[in-house]
Amino acid sequence: QLQLVEAGGGLVQPGGSLRLSCAASGNSFGAYAVGWFRQAPGKEREGVACISSAGSNTNYADSVRGRFIISRDNDKNTVTLQMNSLKPEDTAVYYCAADRNYFWVCSSDRAEYYWGHGTQVTVSS
């Protein structure tokens, strides 16, 4: 069992930066791949970035590649999403999710993942 808690959301101006964190409690966090997903009003939830269990592999959606960086610290049971050059279209609720299957977390949205409750990111002037 894992419990995930996101933090770091807020209101930021276009071009600004935010750093989201996903803190995990429970056993064997280092065995899980983690993904960040987001859901904007009226839209389906979409994958943003993902990282393998050891942190050696990452992947990004085209819309955020070059602007967002995902990283993890397994000693601290934390995954971080550094978001730079934010745009109004990045406005959404951001969720982290964990699963033992890296390819699933990077390619699909599944109810069976461990999910956090989300944190709101608003990009507006």
Side-chain angles (χ1 to χ4, degrees):
Q1 286 280 351
L2 284 182
Q3 294 81 42
L4 304 177
V5 178
E6 302 94 338
L11 173 64
V12 64
Q13 292 187 343
S17 298
L18 279 176
R19 187 178 181 90
L20 304 184
S21 63
C22 174
S25 59
N27 296 326
S28 302
F29 175 68
Y32 290 83
V34 174
W36 281 98
F37 296 77
R38 67 185 181 187
Q39 187 167 23
K43 296 187 177 181
E44 292 187 355
R45 190 160 56 191
E46 62 175 354
V48 173
C50 55
I51 189 165
S52 60
S53 56
S56 53
N57 293 293
T58 59
N59 199 21
Y60 298 90
D62 289 343
S63 58
V64 307
R65 186 173 290 113
R67 299 188 297 123
F68 291 10
I69 301 171
I70 188 171
S71 61
R72 68 187 296 160
D73 184 337
N74 285 342
D75 290 336
K76 297 181 178 179
N77 281 10
T78 301
V79 171
T80 299
L81 185 68
Q82 177 67 42
M83 305 188 298
N84 301 318
S85 302
L86 283 162
K87 305 175 181 179
E89 51 263 43
D90 294 318
T91 295
V93 178
Y94 283 70
Y95 302 87
C96 62
D99 192 84
R100 292 181 180 271
N101 192 309
Y102 171 66
F103 295 103
W104 283 5
V105 168
C106 290
S107 62
S108 61
D109 181 337
R110 297 175 183 239
E112 56 261 43
Y113 299 158
Y114 293 106
W115 288 95
H117 292 293
T119 184
Q120 175 70 46
V121 171
T122 302
V123 185
S124 175
S125 55

